Amino acid sequence: IGMGNATPDFFGGLKDDNKARYASSVTALNVITGRPRWSYQTVHRDIWDYDVAAQATLVDIETPQGNIPALVQATKSGQLFTLDRRTGKPLTPVEERATPRGAVPGEILAPTQPFPTTLPSLVPPELSEASMWGLTPFDQMWCRARFLDLRYEGMFTPPSVQGTLYYPSSVGGVNWGGVSVDPERQLLLVNVNRIAQIWTLIPHSDKDKALADAAAGGKAKKQPMQEQGYYQEQAGTPYGVALEMFLSPLGVPCTPPPWGVLEAFDLKHKTRVWSKPLGGTRDQSPLGIDVPLGTPNFGGSLVTRSGLTFIGAAAENRVRAFDSRTGAMKWQADVPAGPQATPMTYVENGRQYVVFAAGGSAMLGTRSGDYLIAYALPGQH
């Protein structure tokens, strides 16, 4: 099971290491006794809300010593951990690397964080002023100015009263959809978010003024991906926290597209096979303009033995199928609501069906509904 991060989310000075040893980890339980068999922590003293939202995916890894029963755990921080599912030990090297320091008074940071080193990282290149993006030169300049106002020293930069930029954000990286595996082709498929958030620690004595300033600046109005100006009290700590997506005044991410991708990895050779933008702008654009820039996404993929990968997930009312080996899109269909869920498949009377749940996502701004839609695959023999 994937474990949540220990509360409070964004301040760790009061966290008990003994109580939080299972936080932000993948943990195996003995099904007879319910007791932990083993646990592997993906983030130490997590103050970034990088809880393990995705389920682990089981796969047998081909090695020169034979097949090893493994699991792949994807994380919000964009890491892929490959563990021996019998023991919880990493099957590929993991480095403990020093991460940014300089936290607020009272905070206690872990000195290092784990980084898998064999499979390519899902984390995109670090942000810079030059990498800020905009639909127009004006909102690009706004994003650059906002970037320079924030604290950002790469992944695991600690929260600050100045305002810290988080990339990947607590949305992910990889959220609850996780990864899917084609065991015959030894391929791993995963959809990834590439959007940033701003988190600002606010001393409780300054809360009323800070929230009033945010409302006056327009940060309290709703955006398609998240309500701006969201505030979390963090009771019992010295700080509350204000969260917002890193969006331009037009409501578009300041980070460069694609904002969501679907990627394939070769598990045997530990290489990235292909990477494609996932999703278009049609259902988010006021004019219905459809550009395949890749969108934020929730929900995972389904891989079939024939070599197809089915997925909804993107911030639009559309589902697709891709060639698992090449990434070529083979099929797409419109659905009446947002398909932000992992599809499933079944066989009846010798014919295979793929089912999508289309319920919508308030965070992604897709249409709500209560549909289950089954598609039959042609050419069954």
Side-chain angles (χ1 to χ4, degrees):
I1 55 175
M3 301 294 287
N5 54 310
T7 59
D9 284 339
F10 309 107
F11 181 77
L14 304 178
K15 293 183 180 181
D16 183 317
D17 280 335
N18 185 55
K19 292 180 180 178
R21 66 185 185 276
Y22 295 114
S24 301
S25 71
V26 53
T27 298
L29 300 180
N30 184 310
V31 296
I32 303 300
T33 66
R35 294 182 179 276
R37 177 73 62 83
W38 56 257
S39 185
Y40 186 86
Q41 192 167 63
T42 63
V43 180
H44 307 317
R45 296 193 65 85
D46 185 359
I47 55 170
W48 301 273
D49 196 18
Y50 280 159
D51 56 293
V52 180
Q55 76 283 0
T57 299
L58 306 185
V59 58
D60 291 343
I61 301 291
E62 296 177 4
T63 73
Q65 293 76 38
N67 285 357
I68 295 179
L71 67 80
V72 178
Q73 181 64 66
T75 68
K76 285 184 179 181
S77 62
Q79 312 284 358
L80 289 173
F81 292 91
T82 306
L83 308 178
D84 187 321
R85 64 177 182 257
R86 300 166 298 186
T87 64
K89 302 296 185 183
L91 290 173
T92 56
V94 176
E95 292 181 354
E96 289 285 341
R97 299 177 186 169
T99 46
R101 316 308 293 165
V104 293
E107 182 61 274
I108 303 172
L109 298 175
T112 63
Q113 295 293 342
F115 288 82
T117 60
T118 305
L119 276 175
S121 174
L122 305 178
V123 180
E126 289 192 4
L127 298 174
S128 66
E129 179 188 358
S131 69
M132 294 297 99
W133 194 83
L135 284 176
T136 71
F138 303 103
D139 61 319
Q140 184 184 41
M141 289 295 293
W142 186 95
C143 290
R144 288 186 173 186
R146 187 79 172 101
F147 176 83
L148 294 175
D149 282 341
L150 299 168
R151 182 179 180 189
Y152 175 69
E153 298 165 28
M155 194 161 63
F156 297 115
T157 304
S160 65
V161 294
Q162 172 188 353
T164 295
L165 185 64
Y166 291 91
Y167 188 62
S169 71
S170 64
V171 172
V174 183
N175 209 281
W176 65 266
V179 309
S180 56
V181 170
D182 182 330
E184 294 185 1
R185 298 172 180 83
Q186 286 286 288
L187 289 175
L188 179 147
L189 285 296
V190 58
N191 48 303
V192 186
N193 288 298
R194 293 182 176 177
I195 51 176
Q197 285 174 316
I198 301 167
W199 300 345
T200 306
L201 293 178
I202 300 173
H204 291 302
S205 59
D206 297 340
K207 170 187 170 181
D208 292 341
K209 181 180 184 302
L211 293 183
D213 290 345
K219 294 180 182 178
K221 67 180 181 179
K222 287 188 176 181
Q223 296 284 5
M225 285 184 288
Q226 182 175 328
E227 182 175 348
Q228 297 289 76
Y230 169 68
Y231 181 79
Q232 188 177 110
E233 189 72 27
Q234 298 199 125
T237 76
Y239 306 95
V241 62
L243 298 89
E244 56 179 300
M245 302 304 294
F246 188 28
L247 307 179
S248 77
L250 298 180
V252 176
C254 288
T255 48
W259 302 304
V261 296
L262 179 64
E263 300 191 308
F265 296 87
D266 185 321
L267 288 171
K268 187 173 183 179
H269 298 98
K270 310 296 189 295
T271 57
R272 180 181 275 105
V273 180
W274 52 263
S275 179
K276 302 280 186 179
L278 177 63
T281 60
R282 180 195 64 180
D283 296 333
Q284 300 289 343
S285 168
L287 301 178
I289 300 172
D290 194 9
V291 183
L293 290 177
T295 70
N297 51 86
F298 291 115
S301 60
L302 164 74
V303 175
T304 67
R305 190 176 186 182
S306 63
L308 293 175
T309 297
F310 291 87
I311 190 167
E316 57 183 348
N317 307 314
R318 193 150 50 187
V319 296
R320 296 180 173 86
F322 295 87
D323 186 310
S324 300
R325 291 157 293 193
T326 67
M329 190 176 70
K330 309 298 288 185
W331 168 84
Q332 68 177 8
D334 291 336
V335 290
Q340 284 73 50
T342 302
M344 61 85 69
T345 187
Y346 67 94
V347 175
E348 183 178 6
N349 297 325
R351 196 171 192 191
Q352 187 174 5
Y353 297 82
V354 173
V355 183
F356 289 89
S361 168
M363 179 172 279
L364 295 183
T366 55
R367 189 180 305 131
S368 62
D370 57 357
Y371 302 92
L372 288 173
I373 305 170
Y375 295 92
L377 304 188
Q380 298 293 312
H381 300 288

